[in-house]
Amino acid sequence: IRLSERFTILPETRASRLHSGLTIQKLLDDPDGRAIISRHIGGFILMADMSMALDMTLEQVAINHPTFVSQQLLKTINEELSKV
């Protein structure tokens, strides 16, 4: 007997309007998000190839560029974003 079923994996529900699961562009488009991102990784934002990362989430940046956004820094940023 074979059983087949379809299901959908839903993204984690976030309590805050701003969180590290949003793209860098969306965070930068929000004044509060821009202030928090600029305070913590402003130098990273100003890098010449930053435009490639605008469509990535902050979580993806932390995975791909841990020297710029460590897991601890990601946690700190996410905590600040969640308070907005």
Side-chain angles (χ1 to χ4, degrees):
I1 299 173
R2 292 184 183 248
L3 176 67
S4 70
E5 187 65 42
R6 291 179 187 238
F7 61 94
T8 303
I9 299 175
L10 299 174
E12 179 182 336
T13 302
R14 312 275 180 148
S16 174
R17 68 181 176 87
L18 296 178
H19 51 80
S20 59
L22 294 173
T23 64
I24 299 290
Q25 185 64 61
K26 286 185 181 183
L27 291 171
L28 294 176
D29 287 344
D30 183 278
D32 295 322
R34 177 178 284 279
I36 293 169
I37 295 299
S38 296
R39 182 170 44 253
H40 291 285
I41 56 171
F44 181 70
I45 293 170
L46 298 174
M47 292 176 64
D49 61 348
M50 181 56 191
S51 62
M52 293 173 33
L54 292 177
D55 291 330
M56 295 174 70
T57 67
L58 194 54
E59 294 166 353
Q60 291 170 322
V61 172
I63 291 169
N64 292 309
H65 303 286
T67 55
F68 296 112
V69 182
S70 67
Q71 288 300 312
Q72 181 57 44
L73 180 57
L74 177 66
K75 181 180 175 186
T76 300
I77 294 171
N78 201 39
E79 287 171 358
E80 288 188 30
L81 289 170
S82 69
K83 293 176 184 176
V84 176

